[in-house]
Amino acid sequence: MDRIGVYEYLYGAPYSVPRLYSGRLAEFLADVAHRAPGSGFYAEIYSNHGLDGPKAWIAEKLLWNPRQDPQALLRRWCRAVFADAAEPMERYFRGLEDTWSRNGLRADPGLGKLALYGDDRQCEIFRPE
């Protein structure tokens, strides 16, 4: 295969809780780069900018070099944006990604990354405990 056209949905606006999956995106983009270097990428990113902050920035960095560590990119972004509050915000975003990865995809496996799109049940995957 010579080239792959990737059409990604980096949606955030229909989600009440930030939907991050930078680790999975990094794995996918690295695989595409390995199998078909020079492939194309397009994304719809209707973000909730107050909550989805790192998503677009990390995706953009991964497009230039998909072999980067998305956790290191998140750390860099949090330091640049939150300064003294970088550590708790990094834990917050890591916790979101972990919860979406563990629980969000299970909620509606047929939709994959778009599981719980615009569905209030998305709040149920984030348990108080």
Side-chain angles (χ1 to χ4, degrees):
M1 136 177 29
D2 292 337
R3 300 283 186 272
I4 297 172
V6 176
Y7 195 110
E8 182 63 41
Y9 299 95
L10 294 172
Y11 292 156
Y15 293 93
S16 300
V17 180
R19 183 182 65 99
L20 301 175
Y21 53 95
S22 301
R24 290 177 188 258
L25 182 62
E27 291 172 9
F28 174 70
L29 292 175
D31 188 50
V32 169
H34 173 75
R35 292 174 187 257
S39 290
F41 181 89
Y42 178 84
E44 292 184 33
I45 183 162
Y46 305 113
S47 290
N48 179 337
H49 294 294
L51 300 174
D52 284 333
K55 186 188 306 181
W57 188 84
I58 291 172
E60 182 266 333
K61 296 299 179 199
L62 291 172
L63 288 169
W64 282 103
N65 178 1
R67 290 169 186 83
Q68 294 182 81
D69 177 4
Q71 299 303 320
L73 291 173
L74 175 64
R75 183 175 304 112
R76 183 173 151 200
W77 185 85
C78 285
R79 286 179 182 162
V81 173
F82 297 110
D84 291 342
E87 283 187 39
M89 293 307 296
E90 183 179 348
R91 282 193 307 274
Y92 167 73
F93 285 115
R94 285 181 198 267
L96 291 173
E97 182 162 355
D98 181 56
T99 300
W100 275 110
S101 294
R102 281 185 296 108
N103 302 331
L105 297 177
R106 284 190 208 142
D108 197 344
L111 287 176
K113 289 181 299 211
L114 292 178
L116 301 173
Y117 177 89
D119 187 333
D120 289 339
R121 291 180 303 140
Q122 63 192 264
C123 296
E124 295 172 13
I125 70 171
F126 292 89
R127 300 283 182 206
E129 60 276 359

